[in-house]
C-alpha cells in the first residue's frame, strides 16, 4: 500500500486559515498525511547565522536568516485546531521535528508518526530520543553518505525498527537528471529490514514519484501550495491542487503497474545509485546540517557541559562538531582551551588546543 504525504511545511504563510485549506486540499487529492514543520528560530539557527540572498527564477530574496525563520514558525497553540481538524478529515497529522523539545511537545499532543528531515540525520541524540518513543519514524536522507545513514538507522534500531528511509535531493528544485533515484536500490540492499520511500523536490508533479514507486518506494512526500505565486521560498516548486490530485492518481496507477510487473525505468531519473553527498547538495548540506555551538560565553579553562551547547544549523557561519559528539560533554570533563564566544561553533581546536 502506498502512503502519500502532502508537505505543507512553511507554505501556510502565517495563516491558520491557509493551514486548514491545505489540509482540505490534501484530503481532496487522496493523500494520507498532511505534514507541517515544527521548529523555533531559536532552535534552528544562531542569531548570527547571517544574511541570505537568492532567487527562484522570478523573485529575488534578501533576508536575515534568523529573523526570516521566525516568520515561518508554526504557532504551538494552532495545533489544538490543526490536529483535531486532521482527525475530523480522516487524514494523519504529521510534522518534521528538529529538536528534542519539539519532539516531546508533539508526542504529548498525540502525533502518531515522527518525521525527521535530512538535516537532522547526523543529530544522533535526537534520533535516539525519537526511537525511544516507540513511534514509527520516517527519516529523510538527502545529502547523507551511506555511512551516516547507517549510523542513524542503527541508532534508531536499538529501540525501534519501525523505520522508513526516504531518498531525496537537497537541491530545491531538483532537475530530473540529478534525482539519482538509483539510490533507492542501494537503500533497499543496505537496509532490507526497513521500508523505503522518496521525498520529491522536482518541478514535475509525477515523473520522479512514479519512478520511485517502480523501484519499490511505499512512501512518497511532496511539497504543496495553494498558489505557486505566493511569497516564500518553498512555493514555486510545490504542487497546486490540480497537480497534487494528478500526482496521487499517477502514483496509485504506478503502484498497480509495479504489482503486475509492468514497469519502465527512466535511465535519466534513475541516474546514479551511490549513496553520497552529491556535488549539487554540498552547499545546502554545509548550510543546514546541524552542528554544535556555544550557548553562552565560555572562559578559558572553564568546564563545558552539554547544557552549554546548542545544536543548530550554521547558515553562513563556520561548522563545528557534529551533534553525535554532544554525549562527550555529558560523560567527560571537557574544558575550554581558550575563550569561546556566544554562538561560536565548537571545534576540536577549542577543546584540545
Amino acid at each position: 500500500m502506498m502512503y502519500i504525504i502532502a508537505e505543507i511545511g512553511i507554505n501556510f504563510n502565517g495563516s491558520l486559515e491557509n493551514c486548514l485549506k491545505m489540509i482540505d486540499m490534501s484530503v481532496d487529492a487522496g493523500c494520507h498525511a498532511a505534514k507541517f514543520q515544527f521548529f523555533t528560530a531559536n532552535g534552528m539557527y544562531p542569531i548570527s547565522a547571517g544574511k541570505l540572498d537568492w532567487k527562484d527564477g522570478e523573485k529575488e530574496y534578501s533576508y536575515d536568516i534568523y529573523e526570516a525563520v521566525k516568520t515561518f514558525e508554526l504557532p504551538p497553540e494552532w495545533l489544538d485546531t490543526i490536529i483535531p481538524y486532521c482527525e475530523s478529515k480522516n487524514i494523519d497529522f504529521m510534522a518534521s521535528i528538529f529538536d528534542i523539545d519539539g519532539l516531546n511537545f508533539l508526542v504529548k499532543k498525540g502525533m502518531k508518526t515522527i518525521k525527521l528531515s535530512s538535516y537532522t540525520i547526523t543529530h544522533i541524540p535526537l534520533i535516539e530520543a525519537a526511537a525511544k518513543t516507540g513511534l514509527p519514524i520516517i527519516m529523510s536522507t538527502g545529502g547523507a553518505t551511506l555511512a551516516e545513514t547507517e549510523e542513524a538507522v542503527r541508532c534508531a534500531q536499538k529501540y525501534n525498527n519501525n523505520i522508513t528511509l526516504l531518498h531525496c535531493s537537497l537541491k530545491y528544485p531538483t532537475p530530473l537528471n540529478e534525482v539519482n533515484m538509483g539510490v533507492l536500490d542501494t537503500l533497499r540492499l543496505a537496509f532490507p529490514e526497513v521500508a523505503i520511500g522518496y521525498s520529491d523536490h522536482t518541478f514535475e508533479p509525477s515523473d520522479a514519484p512514479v519512478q520511485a514507486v517502480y523501484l519499490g518506494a511505499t512512501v512518497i512526500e511532496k511539497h504543496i501550495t495553494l498558489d505557486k505565486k505566493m511569497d516564500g521560498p518553498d512555493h514555486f516548486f510545490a504542487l497546486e491542487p490540480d497537480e497534487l490530485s494528478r500526482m496521487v492518481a499517477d502514483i496509485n496507477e504506478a503502484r498497480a503497474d509495479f504489482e503486475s510487473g509492468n514497469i519502465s525505468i527512466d535511465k535519466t531519473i534513475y541516474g546514479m545509485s551511490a549513496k553520497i553527498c552529491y556535488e549539487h547538495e554540498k552547499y545546502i548540506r554545509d548550510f543546514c546540517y546541524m552542528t554544535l555551538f556555544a550557548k553562552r560565553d565560555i572562559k578559558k579553562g572553564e568546564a563545558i557541559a552539554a547544557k552549554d551547547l546548542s545544536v543548530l544549523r550554521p547558515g553562513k557561519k563556520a561548522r563545528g562538531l557534529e551533534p553525535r559528539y554532544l554525549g562527550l560533554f555529558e560523560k567527560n570533563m571537557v574544558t575550554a582551551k581558550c575563550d569561546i564566544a556566544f554562538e561560536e561553533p565548537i571545534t576540536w581546536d577549542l577543546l584540545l588546543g
Side-chain angles (χ1 to χ4, degrees), residues 44-46 48-50 65 284-291 293 312-320 345:
M44 182 75 81
Y45 283 100
S48 56
I65 296 166
I284 195 68
R285 176 188 163 113
D286 287 343
F287 197 99
C288 290
Y289 263 48
M290 304 183 105
T291 187
F293 289 92
L312 302 170
R313 300 181 183 183
K316 291 291 188 69
K317 294 176 72 71
R319 294 188 58 80

Side-chain angles (χ1 to χ4, degrees), residues 18-73:
N18 283 346
C19 291
L20 303 183
K21 286 181 179 178
M22 297 178 83
I23 292 168
D24 287 340
M25 168 184 167
S26 306
V27 171
D28 291 343
C31 297
H32 303 92
K35 189 177 83 66
F36 296 83
Q37 296 177 14
F38 191 65
F39 57 81
T40 62
N42 190 53
M44 182 75 81
Y45 283 100
I47 297 170
S48 56
K51 189 177 180 181
L52 184 63
D53 299 298
W54 69 285
K55 59 176 64 177
D56 65 18
E58 296 180 1
K59 297 180 181 178
E60 294 187 4
Y61 300 89
S62 179
Y63 51 76
D64 178 88
I65 296 166
Y66 181 86
E67 292 300 323
V69 171
K70 284 174 65 175
T71 69
F72 299 147
E73 293 177 1

Side-chain angles (χ1 to χ4, degrees), residues 10-165:
I10 62 173
N11 282 354
F12 57 91
N13 282 33
S15 165
L16 177 58
E17 181 181 1
N18 283 346
C19 291
L20 303 183
K21 286 181 179 178
M22 297 178 83
I23 292 168
D24 287 340
M25 168 184 167
S26 306
V27 171
D28 291 343
C31 297
H32 303 92
K35 189 177 83 66
F36 296 83
Q37 296 177 14
F38 191 65
F39 57 81
T40 62
N42 190 53
M44 182 75 81
Y45 283 100
I47 297 170
S48 56
K51 189 177 180 181
L52 184 63
D53 299 298
W54 69 285
K55 59 176 64 177
D56 65 18
E58 296 180 1
K59 297 180 181 178
E60 294 187 4
Y61 300 89
S62 179
Y63 51 76
D64 178 88
I65 296 166
Y66 181 86
E67 292 300 323
V69 171
K70 284 174 65 175
T71 69
F72 299 147
E73 293 177 1
L74 180 71
E77 60 272 18
W78 287 9
L79 294 175
D80 291 331
T81 299
I82 290 172
I83 294 175
Y85 192 77
C86 286
E87 292 173 349
S88 72
K89 296 290 183 174
N90 198 30
I91 190 170
D92 293 339
F93 164 82
M94 197 182 297
S96 294
I97 53 98
F98 300 89
D99 55 60
I100 293 174
D101 287 343
L103 167 68
N104 292 336
F105 184 86
L106 287 177
V107 169
K108 287 180 180 178
K109 285 290 183 182
M111 185 171 68
K112 296 180 175 63
T113 301
I114 296 169
K115 178 62 171 57
L116 296 171
S117 84
S118 298
Y119 309 126
T120 62
I121 197 166
T122 58
H123 192 341
I124 298 302
L126 176 61
I127 294 171
E128 182 177 50
K132 285 181 177 178
T133 67
L135 295 173
I137 296 173
I138 299 176
M139 186 185 307
S140 290
T141 66
T145 65
L146 185 61
E148 289 167 334
T149 305
E150 180 164 18
E151 182 180 20
V153 170
R154 301 311 175 210
C155 170
Q157 286 179 326
K158 293 176 184 177
Y159 312 96
N160 181 355
N161 197 42
N162 194 340
I163 301 166
T164 301
L165 293 177

